[in-house]
Amino acid sequence: RAMAAVRRPGYDQAARLLAGGRLLDDAASIHVPAAVLVGTQDRITPPASARRVFDVLQKSSPQSVYREIAEAGHAVCQEQPEQVAHAIVEIVENKANAHA
C-alpha cells in the first residue's frame, strides 16, 4: 500500500538517482560499520543482489551485518517495521557489547 501511494515527480527523481548510482563502488568506499537489511520478497533489490552489496561492503567494513526480513518486499520498513526495529536493536546492542 505504501508503494502504491508513491506519485510523480517523487518517483521520477528516485528513478533518476538510482539509474545513475554505482552501488557496488559506493559500498567499497564505506569504512564504518553498516547494515544491509533486505526483504525476502524484494523484487526491486532481491536478496541475491543485496548479498552482493554486502560481500563488497565486508571488504571495506568488516564489522557490517546482513539481515533478511521475512515476508517483506522493497518497502521493508513499512511492511515489517517491528522486524526491522528488532534487527536494528540487535545490531546496535551487538556493536555496543563488542566495544564495552
Side-chain angles (χ1 to χ4, degrees), residues 7-22:
R7 299 286 182 256
R8 298 176 88 173
Y11 179 84
D12 296 343
Q13 178 64 17
R16 278 192 297 277
L17 289 170
L18 289 171
R22 300 184 57 86

Side-chain angles (χ1 to χ4, degrees), residues 11-84:
Y11 179 84
D12 296 343
Q13 178 64 17
R16 278 192 297 277
L17 289 170
L18 289 171
R22 300 184 57 86
L23 188 55
L24 296 178
D25 292 340
D26 292 342
S29 69
I30 295 173
H31 301 289
V32 297
V36 176
L37 303 178
V38 62
T40 58
Q41 307 301 314
D42 191 335
R43 293 184 179 156
I44 307 299
T45 309
S49 295
R51 188 59 152 168
R52 282 194 296 275
V53 171
F54 178 68
D55 290 344
V56 170
L57 184 61
Q58 278 192 301
K59 294 174 186 169
S60 63
S61 180
Q63 293 181 328
S64 298
V65 296
Y66 175 87
R67 295 286 186 278
E68 290 186 10
I69 306 298
E71 300 180 28
H74 193 63
V76 65
C77 294
Q78 290 86 4
E79 294 172 26
Q80 295 294 341
E82 289 181 21
Q83 287 186 42
V84 170

